[in-house]
Amino acid sequence: QVQLVESGGDLVQPGGSLRLSCAASGSIFSINAMRWYRQAPGKERELVATITKGDTTNYSDSVKGRFTISRDNAKNTVYLQMNSLKPEDTAVYYCNADVLLYSWSYETNYWGKGTLVTVSS
C-alpha cells in the first residue's frame, strides 16, 4: 500500500507565505508526476500545480508567479511553496501522485487526505 501524507496547512494572513509538504510512503519503485490540487468550500477540486519526474512544472493561471512546486525524489516528497497568499487561496490542498509499485507495473494514482490552508486577516 502507498500513503500520501500532506502537512504544512495553517491559518495565514493575506500576503503571507506557507510551504506544504507531501510525503509518499509504502511499497514504491518510483514516482512519475506529482500534483497539488485544491478544493475551496462549495467549489470543485482544481489542479494547482504539476511536476514531472524530470522536474518539468505547470501551474494554473490563478497561482502562476506566486506558487512554486518542487520535489525531492530521494525522499518521495513534493512541496508547494505558496507566496503572496490571497483569501481566495483558502482551500483544502491535496497531494496526488502517479506511482510505480514495481519496475514492471503500470502507474497507479494515489491521493492524500488533504491539509487545510486558510488565508484570512
Side-chain angles (χ1 to χ4, degrees):
Q1 262 303 1
V2 172
Q3 283 190 320
L4 302 180
V5 179
E6 302 96 335
S7 61
D10 205 345
L11 170 64
V12 63
Q13 291 189 344
S17 297
L18 276 179
R19 188 192 196 209
L20 305 183
S21 300
C22 171
S25 62
S27 179
I28 297 171
F29 174 74
S30 70
I31 303 176
N32 290 335
M34 303 185 82
R35 307 170 187 88
W36 286 98
Y37 284 79
R38 68 184 181 186
Q39 187 166 20
K43 295 189 176 181
E44 292 187 355
R45 192 172 296 189
E46 64 167 337
L47 177 61
V48 173
T50 302
I51 185 166
T52 67
K53 192 173 182 179
D55 288 337
T56 299
T57 58
N58 272 292
Y59 300 92
S60 68
D61 288 343
S62 60
V63 308
K64 201 172 294 183
R66 300 188 298 121
F67 290 10
T68 302
I69 188 171
S70 61
R71 63 190 287 172
D72 184 332
N73 291 328
K75 296 181 179 179
N76 287 333
T77 298
V78 63
Y79 306 97
L80 187 68
Q81 177 66 43
M82 305 186 295
N83 299 328
S84 302
L85 282 161
K86 305 174 182 180
E88 51 263 42
D89 294 318
T90 295
V92 177
Y93 284 72
Y94 297 91
C95 176
N96 176 272
D98 296 329
V99 179
L100 287 171
L101 302 181
Y102 309 99
S103 61
W104 44 263
S105 64
Y106 293 103
E107 288 179 350
T108 302
N109 188 260
Y110 290 92
W111 289 90
K113 294 184 178 181
T115 185
L116 177 62
V117 173
T118 303
V119 184
S120 175
S121 54

